[in-house]
Amino acid sequence: MKLKDKILELMKSEGYRPMTEGEILAALDLDIKEADLLLKTLQSMEKEGLVVKNRKDRYGLPERMNLVVGHLEGNPKGYAFLIPDNPEMEDIYIGLENLNGAVHGDRVIVRPLFKPSEGRLEGEVVRILKRASTRIVGTIECGKQFAFVTPDDKRFYFDVFVPKSDTAGAKSGQKVVVSITRWPEGRRNPEGRVTEILGYEDEPGIDVLAVIKKYNLPMEFPEKVLRQAEQISEEITDEELKGRLDLRSEKIVTIDGEDAKDLDDAVSIKKIAGGYRLGVHIADVSYYVEEDTPLDKEARKRGCSVYLVDRVIPMLPPKLSNGICSLNPKVPRLTMSVIIDFDESARVKSYQITPSVIRTCERMTYTAVNKILEENDEETIKRYEYLLEDFKLMEELAAKLNRKRFERGSLDFNFEEAKVILDENGRPVEIRKEKRRTGERIIEEFMLAANEVIAEHIYWLKVPFVYRVHEIPDMEKMYALQEFLHNLGYSIKGIKNIKPKALQQILEAVKGKPEERVVNTVLLRSLKRARYSEENLGHFGLASHYYTHFTSPIRRYPDLVIHRILREQLEGKLDEGRMEYLNEVLGRIAKHSSERERIAEEAERETVELKMAEYMAGKIGEVFTGIISSVTPFGFFVELENTVEGLVHVSTLEDDFYRFDEKSITLRGERTKKVFKIGDRVKVRVARVNKNERQIDFIFEEKLD
């Protein structure tokens, strides 16, 4: 057992009281020569927030000392919430006066302070374990003696004071990166110095560049990483084919979006006696990216590829992601294949997991597949005639898999994603809704099936692994959801022992209704966030007992790790030492990967919202049709047909005085009795757009029946 685990076991024991280093040394029966190692381990654990040292230099677990460890989620009004590491704990409110210099994103230790008069759990920051970032991106305003930088991220509540000597020549109105030299204390603002001038906001590309810098996304690969990538051969030798299933003569295709370059999954299908044989073939990235090499360390650090509105920041260098690891058409590629035999009802009969080599015969797009299967487009059918029966079989199997998944209660949210189309200067020219059609659903179902087979296969082998988990929702959020739905005329069955099926029934009930999108949105926000974990906790949203991410090792680090574990298991290399090592590191990898995924999603969403706001700024005065998506005491939000959302403020409703009815979630006119409710179709005029805040204001024009 590792020393860290021994310390934790000691501190979790029933009779443990906070001890000094010497007392812990004696309690663990360690030799005096190990005192230095013990001290370093305790200091490391203290930095992680696993243990706390009190004023008497005694160590103990935070939870036993009435302390909570987590990270801060800031609010533009100055307060914050502690999001505890322990997912079972509720969030803790931290007032501005109790932040003690901590800011949004910081990892901290908080002492809870229950406020019985207000009926809520509050707290104060007692220690800052790790700063989220020492750099802030914002807009600079220069005075004669000093300057201030207003952060782009409004959750970082303070403006940053910059002495005149540290502005690096930046001019008012420019976007800059500021390095913090002094953190806030009491009423004193943080101080910093300008380390990078990005440019004026209206210059092409500066807005997205500011987001990249804000989230500290790495734009370039280190030289040693690029050197290693360059040394990888583009050719596959006969030696590399040994021990691989040769599938080069099979009809195998990739199906992706038109602009995809990192093609990491391909599929094949056959009709067999009593069912179907599905092949899911995934780029064998782990063959090229060996553990603890520069390539691997950089991929682990990045966690995933980031798909921004105007560019991709890849996890692996393009030499791999778009080259030797991408399953490009008509060239041999090394893969890991999952070949699954299903019966006629799409139940798994048997499967094979094996290293393989493939040669895809076509690089298909969703558009082309949809033209074949949905539109019966003669030209496209003729072009891919030799694959026509395969695509029909794929559609047939995918429909059965979807039905089987639906029957067990899997949630299928009906969201139409918005894609912002940019011109060559990065200006938005169109917002297009992208529907999940037959081609997209085929790949979705096949990837889900492969991920489930891999997860269950490893689970029963009792091998250390990284699962994709989605835990049961918090009851508090379910009761809030129940109240919201009740006001719309819906009810959740069996809420005290909530099952996915009950929520699925709600999604089915709202299909095609005006309130469909808002119910989908509120329901999704009521669920916990899916994450990576070394423990198999099941996947609530998919109603699945075993789930993982295996199908995208080019763009997700957990998938790459999973490929390594699979290969080692297949080759009989998972000995006791290796298993012990994996048990030690997989928890950290899962946690880091979940954090990187969250950052990527925030950055991606922010760039899309930024460009949406910019697009709507060019539509001031124009009238659009939309649906009321939510109602609040200060007005109602309207979602347009292009998915853009804006606010009609109650102060702009000049025909009456409107009051908010909390029970029915409506605004009702005192004199006219006119009612605004969720799902109402309305016409609105674009009044104002604040691109920096990504806020769009509408003026109500008329209600539509």
Side-chain angles (χ1 to χ4, degrees), residues 413-416 480-481 484-485 487-490 506-507 510-526 626-632 636-640 643 645 664-665 677-680:
F413 291 96
N414 189 21
F415 287 116
E416 290 177 332
L481 174 65
F484 169 79
L485 291 171
N487 294 326
L488 293 175
Y490 301 98
I506 297 293
L507 296 178
V510 299
K511 268 190 179 172
K513 305 277 182 65
E515 64 269 21
E516 179 180 8
R517 187 173 176 91
V518 68
V519 169
N520 272 259
T521 302
V522 173
L523 200 156
L524 180 61
R525 288 174 182 166
S526 302
I627 288 175
I628 295 179
S629 55
S630 63
V631 182
T632 71
F636 55 85
F637 287 90
V638 175
E639 185 180 289
L640 306 184
T643 75
E645 193 174 57
S664 61
I665 320 177
K677 66 181 186 301
I678 289 168
D680 284 348

Side-chain angles (χ1 to χ4, degrees), residues 152-165:
D152 283 355
D153 191 340
K154 301 307 172 192
R155 294 171 298 182
F156 190 98
Y157 173 68
F158 307 92
D159 286 348
V160 181
F161 173 84
V162 181
K164 188 73 174 176
S165 58

Side-chain angles (χ1 to χ4, degrees), residues 141-179:
E141 289 298 326
C142 300
K144 289 184 179 179
Q145 305 300 325
F146 56 84
F148 275 102
V149 172
T150 304
D152 283 355
D153 191 340
K154 301 307 172 192
R155 294 171 298 182
F156 190 98
Y157 173 68
F158 307 92
D159 286 348
V160 181
F161 173 84
V162 181
K164 188 73 174 176
S165 58
D166 287 334
T167 59
K171 296 179 174 61
S172 288
Q174 287 186 322
K175 291 279 184 189
V176 297
V177 180
V178 177
S179 181

Side-chain angles (χ1 to χ4, degrees), residues 201-217:
E201 186 185 7
D202 56 359
E203 293 176 36
I206 296 301
D207 50 0
V208 176
L209 179 61
V211 174
I212 290 170
K213 295 291 182 180
K214 170 182 168 181
Y215 289 98
N216 203 18
L217 301 175

